[in-house]
Amino acid sequence: DVLIGPGSKELMFLLQLVYYGDLVIPTPSWVSYAPQAHIIGRHVRWVPTAREDHWMLTPQELEAICKKDPQRPRLVILNYPSNPTGRSYTVKDLKALAAVARKNRVVLLSDEIYGELHHHGRHVSIARFYPEGTIISSGLSKWCGAGGWRLGVFVFPPALRWLLEAMAVVASETFTSTAAPIQYAAVRAYEGGLEIEEYLWHSRRILRGIGTTIARRLEGAGVIVPRPQGAFYLFPDFENFREELGRRGIRTNEDLCHRLLEETGVALLPGSAFGARSDALTLRLAYVDFDGARALTASHDVPREKPLSQTFLKTYCDAPLSAVERICAWLLR
Ligand SMILES: Cc1ncc(COP(=O)(O)O)c(C=O)c1O
């Protein structure tokens, strides 16, 4: 049972509209889940997470929220690989989260829009372990680099067909359908094949190369940063610089963001946009400012068994690397 629409974001909005329940999301979470709930008037329960867990949800934290009122209907959104952290869950994590979700009969929306961009191609869906209660969300935007084409996909289990039907009613009264030419493009994308597998393999190697290089560089400068496992984001935490930044008048992640933009020209997003407290010194860094087509062509000439060299990354993906150099120089100024 599959529903397609003009972007998974639109489908998420429809789901929140038709499903009467609290929205449960970990802190930090992608920027649109909570505003959608606010527009519709749903309660948002932010679940705290810990730096030691790389800001990912633990079964204990989910259980603690569900235990407060076990009968309450809840929509839990899990996103992995994650925007903003670039982290994903292990199979063990997924099994444990699935057990809590089943016990509390939550509706689970598994936002796997970056699944194909797991840096080692090892994405696993929680739907394997909680099939009856999981809706998988994905689309063309990220792995096809087609965010403007607007095609999102929800995959429902038989037990949640009633939700698909309710969403289809609203879809029929609002956007009607996804534009036909885009549907044809999606048919081609989802047919897969060798050409698409090759494209994904090289995309992953490039993202893995930039992500780990930047994370290592930031770590070397004293910034705490979860090592990325997928997507194209990092979530650096400048806690170790709190005193020094305080002396420069920087006390919140919004201050930090503004000052970095003004003084280094590098644009990041404050952690608060993802639900972090203002006084947490976390930011989201996206490392996509390079010519992907050029980097992909060049990656074909590098033997498959080799990681991409620093020279390769400097030549084809320089903007994010030099932006991070500017951030490090600014920190140690
Ligand atoms: C985690 C996450 N989910 C969903 C979306 C929305 O994607 P779509 O283009 O399918 O609406 C994004 C886009 O930034 C995202 O980062």
Side-chain angles (χ1 to χ4, degrees), residues 6-10 12 30 33 79 81 83 111 113-114 138-142 147 150-152 233:
S8 62
K9 189 193 275 187
E10 182 64 28
M12 286 169 195
W30 177 55
Y33 307 137
N79 164 227
N83 178 3
D111 183 351
I113 193 118
Y114 298 100
S138 191
L140 295 186
S141 295
K142 310 299 174 181
R150 310 311 302 138
L151 190 132
Y233 305 109

Side-chain angles (χ1 to χ4, degrees), residues 102-119:
R102 173 173 293 122
K103 181 176 151 208
N104 292 284
R105 290 182 294 142
V106 304
V107 173
L108 191 62
L109 180 69
S110 183
D111 183 351
E112 303 179 27
I113 193 118
Y114 298 100
E116 300 293 347
L117 298 181
H118 185 285
H119 289 178

Side-chain angles (χ1 to χ4, degrees), residues 119-120 201-202 204-206 208-209 298-310 312-313:
H119 289 178
H120 292 278
W201 192 90
H202 287 282
R204 289 175 190 135
R205 179 164 68 170
I206 293 166
R208 187 167 74 229
S299 172
H300 278 89
D301 295 332
V302 180
R304 287 177 80 95
E305 61 286 359
K306 282 198 174 168
L308 298 173
S309 66
Q310 294 303 306
F312 180 99
L313 296 174

